[in-house]
Amino acid sequence: MEFQYELTEEDVVAFNVYHVKNSNLGRKSLRWQRVVSPLLFLLFAVFLSVSTELETGPLFVVFGLTAILWAIYYPKYFYWHVTRQVRKALKEGKNDGLVGSHVLKMNKQGLTDISSNGESKMIREAVKQFKEDVGHFYLYNSAVSAVIIPKRDVDAEAFRKFVNKWLGH
């Protein structure tokens, strides 16, 4: 079976955000930063109240509100930061073969991804996971990388059925 699609920088960003949201490491990192930072704010308020003559009430109100706002809004900042870092990385170098036109050929032996950079082949058993989000399919070949297929360029239902059958699910 052969699928043609166009991969954009937005697709690469979407994969990275999806991966961070769904990986154990990404979730742990977010949870850690979302909880520990507010605790540090409150500990700093305790330190200031003990070491200075500032009133305790206003200190805890200010640092408590800061801690609450941090816990609420930090996830948006976290994913914005991931997006920004990926965009910066994409702008640093040539992305031939990553963004642009792709042809994905899948058969019993494996898959071949053909782009302007050449061909990339992998055996079927190298595909560790098949995941999807609202706009993309991801054929993971390692813990941190995947073949990204935008749903806008393929018949999503037919692709999903084909890959599940191809993988033996």
Side-chain angles (χ1 to χ4, degrees), residues 100-117:
S101 296
H102 287 258
V103 175
L104 182 64
K105 295 181 179 180
M106 301 172 78
N107 58 34
K108 291 178 186 176
Q109 289 74 37
L111 63 81
T112 304
D113 180 20
I114 304 167
S115 69
S116 62
N117 226 24

Side-chain angles (χ1 to χ4, degrees), residues 29-157:
S29 178
L30 175 60
R31 190 172 35 244
W32 176 259
Q33 293 173 40
R34 193 175 185 188
V35 171
V36 171
S37 295
L39 290 175
L40 290 175
F41 294 148
L42 295 173
L43 284 174
F44 189 62
V46 169
F47 170 76
L48 285 176
S49 70
V50 171
S51 65
T52 66
E53 293 181 15
L54 295 172
E55 288 189 41
T56 304
L59 274 176
F60 281 98
V61 168
V62 169
F63 283 96
L65 284 174
T66 303
I68 291 168
L69 291 172
W70 180 276
I72 292 170
Y73 291 108
Y74 184 74
K76 285 187 181 199
Y77 169 77
F78 183 79
Y79 296 123
W80 171 83
H81 183 70
V82 169
T83 299
R84 187 171 149 245
Q85 291 302 104
V86 172
R87 286 185 203 284
K88 283 172 72 174
L90 288 170
K91 285 184 182 6
E92 279 184 4
K94 294 189 181 226
N95 298 307
D96 299 339
L98 179 60
V99 297
S101 296
H102 287 258
V103 175
L104 182 64
K105 295 181 179 180
M106 301 172 78
N107 58 34
K108 291 178 186 176
Q109 289 74 37
L111 63 81
T112 304
D113 180 20
I114 304 167
S115 69
S116 62
N117 226 24
E119 290 185 7
S120 170
K121 294 184 179 196
M122 77 178 77
I123 61 172
R124 187 174 64 201
E125 293 76 21
V127 177
K128 307 296 182 208
Q129 294 181 19
F130 175 51
K131 300 285 186 174
E132 69 178 286
D133 63 13
V134 173
H136 303 87
F137 291 108
Y138 306 113
L139 294 167
Y140 274 85
N141 58 345
S142 76
V144 295
S145 67
V147 176
I148 306 163
I149 300 97
K151 288 182 178 180
R152 67 178 175 272
D153 293 343
V154 297
D155 177 342
E157 190 59 36

